[in-house]
Amino acid sequence: QVGGPVCGGGTFDVAVVGAGIVGLGAARQLVLRHPALSFAVLEKERQLAHHQSGHNSGVIHSGIYYTPGSLKAKLCVQGAALCYEYCDQKGIPYKQCGKLIVAVEQDEIPRLKALYERGLQNNVRGLKLIGAKEIQAKEPFCRGLMALDSPYTGIVDYRQVAQSYAEDFQEAGGTILTDFEVTDMEMAKESSSGSEDGLKYPVIVRSSKGEEIYCRHIVTCAGLYSDRLSEISGCSPEPRIVPFRGDYLVLKPEKCYMVKGNIYPVPNPRFPFLGFHFTPRMDGSVWLGPNAVLAFKREGYKLFDFSATDFLDAVLYSGLWKLVLRNLSYGLNEMYRACFLSAQVKELQKFIPEVTVNDVLRGPSGVRAQALDSDGNLVDDFVFDGGTGDIGSRILHVRNAPSPAATSSLAIAEMIADEVKRRFEL
């Protein structure tokens, strides 16, 4: 059903670049809203949802962490409700296993209470603060002074969700072209096609193999490559993407009884990552982690994966050095933990003292596309931009769709569809 490229160059009203959960969600929403128009999704891999969408912890977040009033907060709360509703509708399995954010030190309690207030402001349902006894009632092996209980946090396999978006898109008449790595975009010369097609579909999108499609408008949802695609189209290279790899450990199957729901630490507000957490999976396994270390390759899931282009791109970017120097001790700590299993386990024992080095194995990894500005600030919210000129005015770049983009994907899709309608007057 998912095809290779159209021979002879198909023509489409809108081409969406990137078949991750955000691109597929947006394409689905667009074709449902505009059934008379033609849409294509272009994906460089042979499979869909192959990168961030297929390498994440699978949590349906409830919206506690995000700044009240921010797009992130609004889209997460909305998106979680839409995600559950969609899974019910399509028969996609999920578990509402809940989540505890656990304070293990006295000085974390004020931060935990502030998170509770923030969650309430964001309209997160069912939140309550619980004490040590109630923590043990919910998670018998977990120790903590106080916890924030979020009963509506859940887990799902996002690859399955993305696959379902793709099926909806195709059933509504959309075309998916895999193995189509976009390397070039240009305006058709009016005479080149010798017909009015050249005028009606003025943008040529070319793949690395030289295949072409023609379209009127382009939406890019390219995750780890969003900055490079923006550059190809003549738009701004900022914010730049810096890849961070997160390595997970897994509990040995016979030890999975120790964890019932999600157990998270109280996040340190100075760092963008949520810390080392315990996450049950739909297949019954339990993931522990992730850490966060700079990846030397944008799709580098293994410790020694290296790409000279990606590495130089990151290290020659002044924004990265500003970030590194501000967070030196944190970064060194994370690298130390990435190398030594015992250091990671020590982190986990703060919450579940019974966990030992013998109970864990090294597990999978993911790479997070972290958008960074030239001052070394992590770009925390969604960024849309286009450009000027012939191609720039026909393109919408989704530059940054940060975590929890999978949770929020249906809400993000509605926002992208609104933006497409506004910019391109579809």
Side-chain angles (χ1 to χ4, degrees):
Q1 240 198 328
V2 174
V6 177
C7 300
T11 56
F12 302 97
D13 290 297
V14 179
V16 176
V17 183
I21 200 163
V22 173
L24 290 168
R28 170 187 175 275
Q29 185 64 31
L30 283 165
V31 75
L32 295 176
R33 283 197 198 183
H34 306 282
L37 300 181
S38 57
F39 294 91
V41 171
L42 312 175
E43 167 55 48
K44 74 180 174 65
E45 304 295 346
R46 291 210 168 118
Q47 303 105 328
L48 308 180
H50 189 59
H51 290 291
Q52 293 185 100
S53 307
H55 291 83
N56 58 57
S57 59
V59 176
I60 301 173
H61 288 282
S62 59
I64 297 166
Y65 299 104
Y66 318 112
T67 309
S70 68
L71 216 41
K72 227 175 170 179
K74 196 179 83 182
L75 293 172
C76 182
V77 173
Q78 239 174 8
L82 290 170
C83 183
Y84 284 129
E85 194 184 316
Y86 182 81
C87 289
D88 284 337
Q89 211 179 337
K90 296 282 175 181
I92 297 171
Y94 64 84
K95 289 180 190 154
Q96 231 168 22
C97 56
K99 161 167 154 178
L100 295 181
I101 301 176
V102 182
V104 289
E105 306 281 350
Q106 210 58 49
D107 66 351
E108 293 175 330
I109 290 176
R111 295 211 306 266
L112 187 71
K113 289 180 173 168
L115 267 187
Y116 171 63
E117 292 302 329
R118 183 171 263 206
L120 294 181
Q121 279 178 286
N122 288 341
N123 299 315
V124 178
R125 295 188 305 156
L127 285 186
K128 54 181 192 290
L129 286 168
I130 61 174
K133 272 209 170 60
E134 289 163 290
I135 292 173
Q136 275 199 281
K138 282 192 175 283
E139 292 284 355
F141 292 87
C142 181
R143 301 285 174 274
L145 304 172
M146 185 187 272
L148 180 50
D149 178 14
S150 169
Y152 290 104
T153 298
I155 53 171
V156 72
D157 177 352
Y158 281 120
R159 207 175 278 213
Q160 215 178 335
V161 175
Q163 205 61 53
S164 179
Y165 293 171
E167 284 159 24
D168 295 347
F169 174 66
Q170 287 173 308
E171 277 162 23
T175 303
I176 296 179
L177 306 179
T178 52
D179 215 359
F180 192 107
E181 181 174 1
V182 174
T183 51
D184 190 28
M185 303 172 197
E186 67 176 16
M187 295 303 284
K189 316 242 177 321
E190 282 170 34
S191 55
S192 67
S193 60
S195 72
E196 57 206 55
D197 261 8
L199 299 173
K200 191 175 176 212
Y201 302 102
V203 185
I204 304 173
V205 181
R206 216 168 270 120
S207 81
S208 54
K209 296 178 178 168
E211 299 133 342
E212 295 178 345
I213 62 131
Y214 295 83
C215 61
R216 286 168 55 207
H217 302 287
I218 301 173
V219 178
T220 72
C221 301
L224 284 154
Y225 287 95
S226 60
D227 54 348
R228 296 215 182 135
L229 264 181
S230 181
E231 262 183 292
I232 286 172
S233 71
C235 299
S236 163
E238 298 241 334
R240 287 281 280 281
I241 294 297
V242 175
F244 280 91
R245 198 183 68 252
D247 305 308
Y248 288 92
L249 303 176
V250 289
L251 270 183
K252 287 185 179 167
E254 66 274 18
K255 293 292 181 175
C256 287
Y257 65 85
M258 289 193 197
V259 178
K260 294 195 170 3
N262 291 284
I263 302 172
Y264 275 64
V266 178
N268 185 330
R270 284 187 44 221
F271 308 120
F273 306 105
L274 295 180
F276 229 69
H277 46 84
F278 297 76
T279 296
R281 304 281 294 175
M282 287 303 293
D283 62 8
S285 61
V286 176
W287 285 15
L288 316 165
N291 56 2
V293 291
L294 182 66
F296 297 131
K297 186 176 179 206
R298 291 200 180 197
E299 286 157 0
Y301 297 104
K302 297 191 176 70
L303 190 57
F304 298 109
D305 281 355
F306 182 83
S307 147
T309 317
D310 293 351
F311 177 68
L312 287 171
D313 224 18
V315 298
L316 296 176
Y317 184 48
S318 63
L320 176 67
W321 285 106
K322 290 173 187 165
L323 174 75
V324 166
L325 294 170
R326 276 207 299 267
N327 298 300
L328 201 55
S329 65
Y330 177 78
L332 292 172
N333 235 332
E334 285 291 301
M335 288 180 88
Y336 175 76
R337 282 219 297 260
C339 298
F340 299 101
L341 214 60
S342 56
Q344 294 188 42
V345 171
K346 215 168 146 181
E347 209 49 41
L348 298 167
Q349 286 169 338
K350 293 179 185 172
F351 302 89
I352 297 187
E354 277 92 337
V355 175
T356 69
V357 174
N358 302 325
D359 299 334
V360 301
L361 303 164
R362 286 198 183 275
S365 298
V367 177
R368 162 179 174 154
Q370 180 60 60
L372 199 60
D373 69 18
S374 51
D375 293 328
N377 299 315
L378 298 156
V379 180
D380 199 34
D381 223 336
F382 296 88
V383 177
F384 285 143
D385 72 3
T388 51
D390 287 341
I391 291 193
S393 59
R394 292 178 171 273
I395 199 160
L396 170 66
H397 292 293
V398 180
R399 294 301 297 270
N400 192 37
S403 175
T407 298
S408 314
S409 57
L410 287 170
I412 294 170
E414 289 184 7
M415 187 170 72
I416 292 171
D418 290 345
E419 189 70 15
V420 164
K421 188 172 166 49
R422 192 181 69 75
R423 284 191 189 219
F424 305 148
E425 295 167 2
L426 289 190

